[in-house]
Amino acid sequence: TTGRSTSYNYRVVMIKGGTELDMRAHRTLSFDKDIISKTSSTTSSESKVLKKTPNQVVVKSRYRQVNCMKFNSSVIAIGGGSDIWDFEPDSSVWPFDVTLYDAKYAKKLKSLPGHRSTITSVYLHQDWVISGGKDASIFLWKPEGSENWSVDCEFSVADRRGHTGKITSLSVEGNILVSSSSDKTIQIWDLEGDSSWSKSTILNTKGVNYAQLKDGKILACCGKEIFCYDAETKQNVVNMRGHQGRISTLQSRYDQIVSAGSDGTVRMFDIRSGKNVRTIKSTSSRISNGTTNCLQWDENKVICGNKDGAIRIFDMISGERINKLEGHHSSVTCLQYDGCKILSGSLDRSLRLWNFRSLLSSSSSSNKALT
């Protein structure tokens, strides 16, 4: 649908053939027919592009760019913004709100105002929405009734409890929130503590690009290395080396980590020994758009979102590429996989939903008919 005819309104488009998405076996992002029927405002040039993507659902964001996204069975949370102001001066829409969509009908539910700059990370934990931004602040939102949301807490420079640099990642396990920042620190927050929201800090002089809390361990990408910290003692347990460029993202399962970054490789490390046990050449590191910005790891498959706008799926055992998904027109900044579908966000202002099962059955070569 299209709201007021201004540059910042969002719209939802279902591509012809999108009904091929498997909507029976799992909780999926289906779209209200009433919404889909009102897509007449799509331009002819857009239509030509979208017709090449029969197995996608595309949500066009009102942001200048989509930087981060998370979804669960009920909501999709999107964060974006840009240093470039392209919104109407008299608009009541602030470009640095967290936007919530209904996960079933893709209808906009709510904008959550508070950030004063680009939103760089969002996280869904129980019924909370947690967001971090370039303004160095972290907001915790909680629902009040079916339609209203309020700020439960804010960690910021102003109250001397927050980071002093851009938030680069958020991760939650149990009642512990871990945040990383360009200020070279990882902060650990007890979400069930007293009113002071007790915290502790880990300092890493190399800067922290991304951090994940998993099984009591904090795994942090710092330059070309991965640092593993014990979440309770805050001690550095092991370091992992092997990447030849900046590491942007990682995912862990059991005692292993899969990571990727600007060197055009996906690497698997053993957390216990710190050894690089497997390396896959994912993209050409000779070109700047070979960087992997985000990834998801599930059993033997790893899904990488790249700076060139493509999503590449690899078999971690054989090292072979299973598929290359082309549809985004700019860098893929975020993606999430739930076992049946992939939702990806990009600097091209769109979110794309992919039918993962049909993609696995297609050719391992780039298949534009599917993507």
Side-chain angles (χ1 to χ4, degrees), residues 333-344:
T333 55
C334 50
L335 62 82
Q336 186 175 338
Y337 168 61
D338 70 350
C340 296
K341 59 184 177 294
I342 302 170
L343 187 62
S344 57

Side-chain angles (χ1 to χ4, degrees), residues 252-365:
S252 66
R253 290 175 62 86
Y254 310 115
D255 291 318
Q256 294 178 316
I257 296 174
V258 166
S259 58
S262 62
D263 65 358
T265 66
V266 177
R267 295 175 185 265
M268 178 182 285
F269 294 90
D270 186 294
I271 297 176
R272 295 163 296 184
S273 65
K275 293 182 178 180
N276 183 180
V277 296
R278 189 166 300 149
T279 302
I280 297 174
K281 187 69 175 179
S282 58
T283 59
S284 173
S285 59
R286 296 179 181 178
I287 53 176
S288 61
N289 62 4
T291 298
T292 297
N293 295 321
C294 50
L295 66 79
Q296 289 274 279
W297 179 25
D298 178 71
E299 298 295 339
N300 297 323
K301 300 179 291 295
V302 61
I303 307 164
C304 301
N306 297 111
K307 193 174 180 180
D308 63 2
I311 297 172
R312 293 171 173 85
I313 307 172
F314 297 93
D315 185 307
M316 284 302 295
I317 295 178
S318 67
E320 295 182 357
R321 191 180 75 192
I322 300 172
N323 212 320
K324 177 183 176 182
L325 316 183
E326 294 180 311
H328 285 294
H329 308 299
S330 189
S331 178
V332 179
T333 55
C334 50
L335 62 82
Q336 186 175 338
Y337 168 61
D338 70 350
C340 296
K341 59 184 177 294
I342 302 170
L343 187 62
S344 57
S346 168
L347 297 185
D348 66 7
R349 301 176 64 186
S350 72
L351 289 176
R352 292 177 182 262
L353 174 66
W354 308 81
N355 182 358
F356 189 75
R357 289 177 174 175
S358 67
L359 295 170
L360 285 179
S361 62
S362 64
S363 170
S364 61
S365 61

Side-chain angles (χ1 to χ4, degrees), residues 162-231:
H163 289 281
T164 59
K166 177 181 75 173
I167 307 300
T168 56
S169 68
L170 299 168
S171 181
V172 180
E173 185 176 68
N175 63 313
I176 302 299
L177 165 66
V178 166
S179 57
S180 64
S181 170
S182 60
D183 64 6
K184 300 183 180 180
T185 68
I186 299 169
Q187 294 190 358
I188 306 168
W189 309 86
D190 182 359
L191 300 182
E192 293 182 358
D194 56 22
S195 59
S196 65
W197 292 83
S198 56
K199 71 163 189 178
S200 55
T201 301
I202 296 174
L203 175 65
N204 188 297
T205 56
K206 295 188 176 183
V208 187
N209 307 323
Y210 183 89
Q212 182 186 46
L213 175 61
K214 189 73 172 179
D215 299 328
K217 299 181 181 68
I218 299 173
L219 306 166
C221 305
C222 307
K224 299 179 183 180
E225 295 182 64
I226 299 172
F227 289 73
C228 178
Y229 297 95
D230 185 290

Side-chain angles (χ1 to χ4, degrees), residues 61-69 77-84 87 94-99 112 115-122 131-135 333-334 346-347 349 351:
S61 168
R62 65 177 177 81
Y63 295 115
R64 175 81 176 184
Q65 59 195 37
V66 176
N67 295 326
C68 48
M69 168 275 304
I78 306 172
S82 172
D83 293 332
I84 303 173
F87 293 75
W94 181 244
F96 308 129
D97 295 351
V98 177
T99 306
L112 307 180
H115 286 285
R116 297 167 292 280
S117 187
T118 301
I119 300 166
T120 54
S121 185
V122 293
S131 61
K134 195 173 180 180
D135 58 4
T333 55
C334 50
S346 168
L347 297 185
R349 301 176 64 186
L351 289 176

